[in-house]
Amino acid sequence: MPKIQKTEQEWRAELTPEQYRILREKGTEAPFTGEYDFTFEPGTYRCAGCGEVLFASDAKYDSDCGWPAFSAPAADEAVDEETDVSHGMARTEVLCASCGGHLGHVFSDGPAPTGQRYCINSAALKLEED
């Protein structure tokens, strides 16, 4: 997948301050405050930074974790994963494979069949309803 490269000035001009804080500075929304936490309409979740398809609504579930949760990305190549050792713990960070934007983290306590919980910030997403 081709990588989108923009200057920080370009990102700041295109994103809201909250989107910039999360996508470019690896921020996190407060739990249970994101636009898509309790949204279950059918559709496709795209990266708020670059528009690439990240998750399908049929993979979204209510994990009661405070952020939108998905059991799998729309395609394996849609996201990249990196080890995150910030905040005194080891976690797996989830990034948009296209623009490198921080999306959230993935945990291995999700439902079958994947066992994964992709815990994603709403501000990193844009729902395209069916």
Side-chain angles (χ1 to χ4, degrees):
M1 173 176 295
K3 300 286 186 189
I4 294 172
Q5 301 212 353
K6 297 180 184 182
T7 66
E8 292 308 304
Q9 184 177 3
E10 288 172 318
W11 284 119
R12 283 187 190 277
E14 294 176 17
L15 301 172
T16 68
E18 179 74 346
Q19 288 171 328
Y20 183 86
R21 184 181 72 79
I22 289 168
L23 287 163
R24 308 316 306 168
E25 297 179 330
K26 300 180 185 276
T28 302
E29 295 167 332
F32 303 104
T33 63
E35 176 181 5
Y36 300 125
D37 189 20
F38 299 105
T39 299
F40 293 96
E41 281 75 17
T44 302
Y45 288 86
R46 294 180 172 272
C47 177
C50 69
E52 286 295 322
V53 173
L54 299 174
F55 299 96
S57 61
D58 61 359
K60 190 171 188 297
Y61 68 99
D62 184 5
S63 71
D64 199 36
C65 68
W67 293 270
F70 301 86
S71 57
D76 288 340
E77 61 272 7
V79 299
D80 288 332
E81 297 179 5
E82 293 182 359
T83 300
D84 173 4
V85 292
S86 64
H87 305 290
M89 63 185 107
R91 302 179 290 173
T92 302
E93 180 183 9
V94 180
L95 304 143
C96 173
S98 182
C99 72
H102 170 77
L103 305 173
H105 293 86
V106 62
F107 303 94
S108 59
D109 61 358
T114 66
Q116 301 296 298
R117 175 173 51 98
Y118 286 82
C119 191
I120 308 297
N121 290 288
S122 288
L125 302 171
K126 195 58 115 176
L127 173 60
E128 183 179 274
E129 291 187 32
D130 287 345

